[in-house]
Amino acid sequence: MKKSELVAKMAEGAGLTKAQAEKALASFIAGVTGALTAGDKVTLVGFGTFSAITRKARTGRNPQTGKAIKIAAKTSGKFSPGKSLKDLVCKKAACKAKKK
C-alpha cells in the first residue's frame, strides 16, 4: 500500500477529505518522529511500539576493495508489532508451527 492509498482509506474510514486525511497522516508522522528524536517511545496498544535504537560505531569492509572502513554510530527507528498485529499477520500454519 502506498501513501496515497493509505490517505484514501483514512479519508473514507473517518469521513474526511483526502486533504484532511493527508494532513492528519503528516501530523502523525511528525509526532512520532519528534518523540523518537527526543528519545521517547510511542506505543499504540494492540498495534505496536515505535522506538529509537542506537547502533555502535564499528569497522566494516568495502566490498569492492576489501579495505577496512570505519562506520559511524547512528540512531534509527524501530517498529515492534503488538500482539494483535502479530496474531493478525501470523494466521498461517507456518507461523503456528514455529511457536511449538
Side-chain angles (χ1 to χ4, degrees), residues 82-100:
K83 183 176 181 342
S84 299
L85 188 59
K86 281 183 191 176
D87 292 344
L88 179 68
V89 173
C90 194
K91 285 191 174 183
K92 297 178 183 176
C95 292
K96 290 180 182 177
K98 286 182 183 178
K99 290 181 181 178
K100 292 181 180 180

Side-chain angles (χ1 to χ4, degrees), residues 4-66:
S4 59
E5 295 169 338
L6 177 60
V7 167
K9 282 225 181 248
M10 287 173 59
E12 182 183 325
L16 303 170
T17 64
K18 286 185 181 179
Q20 290 171 327
E22 188 163 359
K23 194 172 183 180
L25 181 60
S27 178
F28 171 76
I29 291 170
V32 170
T33 303
L36 295 181
T37 302
D40 296 332
K41 286 185 179 182
V42 178
T43 302
L44 303 172
V45 177
F47 184 71
T49 302
F50 295 92
S51 59
I53 59 167
T54 303
R55 295 183 180 202
K56 296 178 183 177
R58 61 190 172 94
T59 303
R61 295 225 173 259
N62 181 334
Q64 291 180 337
T65 63

